[in-house]
């Protein structure tokens, strides 16, 4: 596949992701994974998890950071030179923020009228639980490898631990410690990431 075609596909894919994502970057993760890993198979689950980890560690919205990294990594994997990879990263980042920019620009003119509208408030009430579901699914897809045959009734669901992300028992121990540190002791996520990185260097 030529670099230009791949860049156009990435731009269109992330533009669509930008249009249909509600709830910010974390809600975007499951949709990015479905498009990049499952549908197009540009990256595997292990690479995708690395991208999410790096996007979370670096400044800026995780959705935009992920788009930048994917745009670069996919072209690099395709054998493109450094300049083309950077162009791809820039255009992919632009693609994911462009829909939000356009939509917010339009809404800002109508929000003051719409916010007191009962239909608008009803829509927002139904969107909030969906956003929570999307954020939850982002965590699930990085822990489990899930295959579903698509049938509503009598469906076959195959769920396995994602071995690329949990290579041994120490991986589960790090997950447990991170959860306890975050939920029980309310430790800053940045500190958890730093200590996890140091633990990774020592253990592995």
């Amino acid at each position: 596949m030529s670099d230009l075609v791949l860049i156009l596909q990435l731009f269109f894919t992330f533009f669509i992701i930008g249009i249909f994502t509600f709830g910010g970057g974390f809600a975007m993760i499951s949709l990015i994974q479905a498009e990049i890993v499952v549908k197009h198979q540009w990256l595997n689950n292990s690479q995708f998890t690395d991208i999410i980890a790096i996007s979370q560690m670096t400044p800026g919205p995780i959705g935009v950071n992920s788009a930048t990294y994917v745009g670069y990594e996919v072209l690099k994997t395709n054998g493109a030179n450094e300049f083309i990879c950077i162009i791809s990263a820039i255009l992919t980042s632009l693609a994911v923020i462009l829909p939000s920019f356009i939509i917010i620009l339009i809404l800002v003119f109508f929000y003051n009228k719409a916010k007191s509208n009962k239909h608008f408030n009803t829509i927002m009430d139904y969107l909030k639980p969906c956003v929570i579901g999307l954020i939850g699914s982002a965590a699930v897809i990085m822990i489990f490898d899930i295959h579903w045959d698509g049938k509503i009734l009598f469906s076959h669901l195959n769920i396995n631990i994602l071995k690329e992300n949990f290579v041994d028992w120490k991986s589960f121990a790090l997950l447990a410690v991170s959860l306890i540190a975050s939920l029980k002791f309310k430790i800053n996520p940045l500190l958890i990431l730093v200590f996890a990185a140091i633990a990774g260097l020592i253990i592995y």
Side-chain angles (χ1 to χ4, degrees), residues 14-82:
F14 275 91
F15 188 82
I16 296 299
I17 289 171
I19 290 175
F20 292 103
T21 300
F22 297 89
F26 287 102
M28 190 180 288
I29 291 172
S30 58
L31 189 52
I32 295 175
Q33 193 266 355
E35 289 291 325
I36 302 303
V37 178
V38 178
K39 183 178 178 180
H40 295 288
Q41 297 181 350
W42 285 324
L43 301 173
N44 58 40
N45 276 309
S46 180
Q47 290 173 304
F48 181 75
T49 305
D50 290 341
I51 288 170
I52 298 303
I54 292 171
S55 299
Q56 179 70 353
M57 291 168 62
T58 50
I62 188 171
V64 178
N65 291 351
S66 300
T68 305
Y69 199 114
V70 169
Y72 182 92
E73 188 66 24
V74 170
L75 265 292
K76 195 71 174 178
T77 303
N78 197 51
N81 62 48
E82 196 72 17

Side-chain angles (χ1 to χ4, degrees), residues 173-185:
L174 286 171
L175 171 65
V177 170
S178 299
L179 281 173
I180 293 169
S182 178
L183 298 177
K184 183 174 178 60
F185 297 103

Side-chain angles (χ1 to χ4, degrees), residues 42-127:
W42 285 324
L43 301 173
N44 58 40
N45 276 309
S46 180
Q47 290 173 304
F48 181 75
T49 305
D50 290 341
I51 288 170
I52 298 303
I54 292 171
S55 299
Q56 179 70 353
M57 291 168 62
T58 50
I62 188 171
V64 178
N65 291 351
S66 300
T68 305
Y69 199 114
V70 169
Y72 182 92
E73 188 66 24
V74 170
L75 265 292
K76 195 71 174 178
T77 303
N78 197 51
N81 62 48
E82 196 72 17
F83 177 74
I84 297 298
C85 291
I86 292 172
I87 293 298
S88 174
I90 293 170
L91 290 176
T92 307
S93 304
L94 179 64
V96 80
I97 64 174
L98 198 56
S100 300
F101 177 77
I102 295 170
I103 292 169
I104 291 298
L105 200 60
I106 295 170
L107 286 178
V108 76
F109 292 107
F110 301 101
Y111 178 75
N112 287 330
K113 293 181 180 179
K115 68 181 180 181
S116 58
N117 185 288
K118 66 177 183 178
H119 299 297
F120 176 80
N121 290 324
T122 300
I123 290 170
M124 295 307 297
D125 287 340
Y126 278 92
L127 279 176

Side-chain angles (χ1 to χ4, degrees), residues 182-200:
S182 178
L183 298 177
K184 183 174 178 60
F185 297 103
K186 310 298 182 185
I187 295 175
N188 190 302
L190 289 176
L191 289 176
I192 295 174
L193 288 170
V194 170
F195 285 120
I198 294 170

